[in-house]
Structure formats: structure tokens, C-alpha cells
Amino acid sequence: MLILGIESSCDETAAAVVQDGKTILSSVVASQVDVHRRYGGVVPELASRKHIEAIYPVVEEALEQAGVSLNGIDAIAVTQGPGLVGSLLIGLSFAKALSYARGLPLIGVSHIEGHLLSIYLEKDTPSFPYISLMASGGHTALYYVSDYTGYHLLGQTRDDAAGEAFDKVAKLLGLGYPGGEVISRLAEQGDPQKINLPRAIISKDSFDFSFSGLKTAVANYIRYCRENQLPMPYEDMAAAFQEAVVDVLVDKTMKAALQYKVKNIVAAGGVASNRRLREALGAAAKHAGVKVFIPDPSLCTDNAAMIAVAGYQRFRRGEVSGLDLDAYSKNRP
Ligand code: KG4
Ligand code: ZN
């Protein structure tokens, strides 16, 4: 079964063709990062306009690279939310039009579910149940996953998402946008021990996260350096900040794995492409006798192949959306 996935929730216009919820025949991602960089973050109105320009060629390219026409597609999966509503509506309207014109089934998919299921695009996949750490620019949460569509939320961030913290700290340091990649690159040359930053654990029994205190600590350090005319140790700060985020993510994920007695852990979302996080989670899991599954970095950041996987799993269970399918901005309970 061939699913055409369409994703436009934030600043990437993406389309992919995936076979049987597993094999990527094509995955095209058009990034708008150059458009938003000069503003230091995503400008929603500009994002919507860029999606309009990109959606048709991106979908066409995905079909072409997969070597199929719409006649060969069995269903269309599209991101319904959460995300920027103006952006989501472009993908949604495009998918609805294709579905109506071609009589193809339409499946609305949660962007988060897409990230969570992105691991099924890899050869080595986990058996249920497992703990999934979802860390992106909009979300940071831990889930107990019992099957392809059964997730139990264990905890989530009370303020900033992990990726958002990377982006905000990069902005504070004047390093540009997006922050994750820049900070992780700088951190390779820094010493994480030189600057002491807080780890918000909240409470021992909670699986919630908090990253705003860490961000404030970085801001205070920057102010201290400025007021005292001290040079800013960019590399050490990047390394210390990254280590503080990674410590908390790994700590809570391992606690959840032990408490729920699972043998497998999955990490997903843009932050899961972070090298240090992959390494630290791998080491902690090995120590605990738990296996870690993390998709290739290109599948951690936003893409439409993961949307096709989530669509496939829902379609397989007989779930189809109507043409009245609407976008939603916030995560659904
Ligand atoms: O999953 P994603 O592409 O989009 C959302 O659904 O939000 O995640 C984007 C987020 C951004 O905040 C970006 O700074 C972060 O993931 N990110 C990283 C890295 N690459 C991307 N964070 C830390 N280290 C990275 N290497
Ligand atoms: Zn995402």
C-alpha cells in the first residue's frame, strides 16, 4: 500500500511516498529556514505564503522521485495539527483537493504521532510496550507506548520545549536561528564543566520537564559577562547548556523506563538528532540493560514520511477523515 504524506505544520513543506508504513520511496523537504533566519524565528504569515509556493512542486517531486503517479497512490495522509494554523491549512487544503479530485481516502494525522512513529521507517524497530521521548521545537514529552496508536502521556514540559530552549538560548547568544544545530556544533569545542547551570528536576515522582529556568540562568550569565566586560565563552556555554538539557532528558527517560519496566526506549523529534543526546541516552540505556531506538537525524526533524507512517497505521484500522477535516493549533488531549 502506497501512502502519500503531506506535512506543512511549521516552516518545512514536505511530501513523501511510503510503502506499507515502512519503506520510503521518496521524502522531499523544502525548508524555509533562509526566509525566517533574519527574523530570528518563524514568522507565521511568511510561512503560510512560502507553503503556498512550495506545496505543488514538493508533492510533484515526491511522486516523481517515487516513480508513481497519483493513480498508484492508495491514500493521502496529511498533518492536521498541532502547528501554525495558517501553515497547516495549506497542506490540508491541498490534500483535500487531491482527495476529492482523485477519489482518494484522506487521513488527518497528528504531527506528534508522526514523530512518535518515525522509528518505523528504520530497519531495527522496537517491540511494544516502550517509553518514547518526544523532543522537538514545539513539544517535549514522555509517553508510554502500547501500540501504534496507543500512547499514554507520562509527563511534558511545563514551559519551553527542549528545542525551543535551544533556539532561545542561541538567540540570547546572538548565534542565529535555528539554534539546535548551531549550539550542538559549538558545544563540540567547549567544556561542559566550566559553567555551572541548573537542572530542573521538578519533583522525583514527576515526568514533567521545565527549561525556562535554564534559559534564565544563561541570560543572567550573559548579562554578568557584559556588565563586567568579560569575554563570552561561547563554546563552553553551548556545551554547558546542551549538557544540562541532555542530563534532564536522559534522567527522566531512564526513570520512566525503570518505573514502567520496559525493555525499549525510543527518542524522536528534532532534538533527538542531537549527537550528545543520542550518545548519552545510548550510554545510560546500555548501563540499565535497555535498548534505545533513535531514527536517523533526517527522520528526527520534520518530514512527511513520518506522516505517511502515522496515516498508514490509522488507515489500516479503517480510520478515514472527511473533507470537513480542520486544522488545530494545540496538542489534543
Ligand atoms: O521536530 P522539529 O523539526 O520541528 C518541530 O516539530 O518542532 O524540531 C525542531 C527543533 C528546533 O527547535 C531545533 O532547534 C531543534 O529541533 N534541533 C536540535 C538539533 N537539530 C534540531 N536541537 C538540538 N540539537 C540539534 N542537533
Ligand atoms: Zn516536528
Side-chain angles (χ1 to χ4, degrees), residues 15-16 26 29 43 47 55 62 81 104 121 123 125 130 140 152 160 176 192 213 217 222 232 239 245 247 275 281 288:
S26 67
V29 181
V43 183
I55 189 85
L104 286 170
L121 293 163
K123 280 206 182 70
T125 57
Y130 54 81
T140 295
H152 172 63
D160 293 342
I222 295 171
M232 183 66 212
V245 174
D247 266 1
R275 257 187 51 188
L281 199 55

Side-chain angles (χ1 to χ4, degrees), residues 12-313:
E12 259 107 22
T13 320
V17 178
V18 174
Q19 187 170 18
D20 301 329
K22 185 140 198 59
T23 311
I24 300 177
L25 300 191
S26 67
S27 179
V28 179
V29 181
S31 170
Q32 303 176 2
V33 77
D34 292 335
V35 177
H36 301 290
R37 185 172 282 125
R38 74 165 99 161
Y39 303 101
V42 178
V43 183
E45 176 60 25
L46 284 180
S48 310
R49 288 170 193 230
K50 287 288 153 190
H51 282 306
I52 293 176
E53 285 170 24
I55 189 85
Y56 191 99
V58 164
V59 170
E60 214 170 30
E61 169 118 27
L63 290 169
E64 201 178 302
Q65 281 186 20
V68 290
S69 71
L70 279 172
N71 293 332
I73 297 293
D74 295 291
I76 302 169
V78 62
T79 307
Q80 190 187 354
L84 300 169
V85 168
S87 292
L88 288 162
L89 286 175
I90 311 301
L92 215 54
S93 309
F94 195 87
K96 281 186 195 177
L98 276 187
S99 153
Y100 183 64
R102 292 298 184 128
L104 286 170
L106 178 72
I107 310 130
V109 166
S110 144
H111 182 81
I112 316 256
E113 192 167 309
H115 274 301
L116 287 169
L117 295 182
S118 56
I119 193 63
Y120 293 100
L121 293 163
E122 295 290 357
K123 280 206 182 70
D124 200 14
T125 57
S127 53
F128 298 112
Y130 54 81
I131 295 295
S132 193
L133 167 68
M134 156 77 201
S136 72
H139 303 272
T140 295
L142 276 169
Y143 294 87
Y144 176 85
V145 184
S146 52
D147 68 50
Y148 290 109
T149 49
Y151 324 102
H152 172 63
L153 180 67
L154 302 178
Q156 60 187 324
T157 185
R158 296 193 183 175
D159 37 58
D160 293 342
E164 189 180 0
F166 270 90
D167 295 335
K168 286 182 174 171
V169 163
K171 201 169 179 179
L172 285 172
L173 290 167
L175 298 172
Y177 172 86
E181 266 175 63
V182 191
I183 289 196
S184 58
R185 225 178 309 124
L186 265 186
E188 310 247 320
Q189 282 122 48
D191 179 351
Q193 312 294 339
K194 287 235 173 99
I195 302 170
N196 207 357
L197 292 174
R199 272 92 171 133
I201 298 295
I202 298 185
S203 90
K204 257 195 5 235
D205 307 322
S206 169
F207 290 116
D208 281 355
F209 300 94
S210 167
F211 295 105
S212 66
L214 174 59
K215 181 190 64 192
T216 307
V218 175
N220 288 341
Y221 191 93
I222 295 171
R223 188 151 22 94
Y224 174 81
C225 286
R226 263 196 212 125
E227 283 171 4
N228 294 284
Q229 293 178 344
L230 297 168
M232 183 66 212
Y234 288 99
E235 290 85 356
D236 293 340
M237 177 52 95
F241 166 76
Q242 176 176 268
E243 203 63 19
V245 174
V246 167
D247 266 1
V248 176
L249 292 177
V250 171
D251 184 74
K252 296 260 174 196
T253 308
M254 293 314 300
K255 261 199 195 117
L258 291 181
Q259 185 170 321
Y260 287 86
K261 299 186 172 56
V262 298
K263 285 281 150 228
N264 297 318
I265 287 173
V266 170
V271 180
S273 66
N274 182 278
R275 257 187 51 188
R276 179 68 195 124
L277 175 63
R278 298 169 83 94
E279 185 184 275
L281 199 55
K286 193 171 173 198
H287 185 71
V290 174
K291 199 165 171 207
V292 178
F293 299 78
I294 312 179
D296 183 77
S298 64
L299 295 173
C300 288
T301 46
D302 286 350
N303 65 86
M306 68 185 196
I307 301 304
V309 178
Y312 170 81
Q313 291 301 343

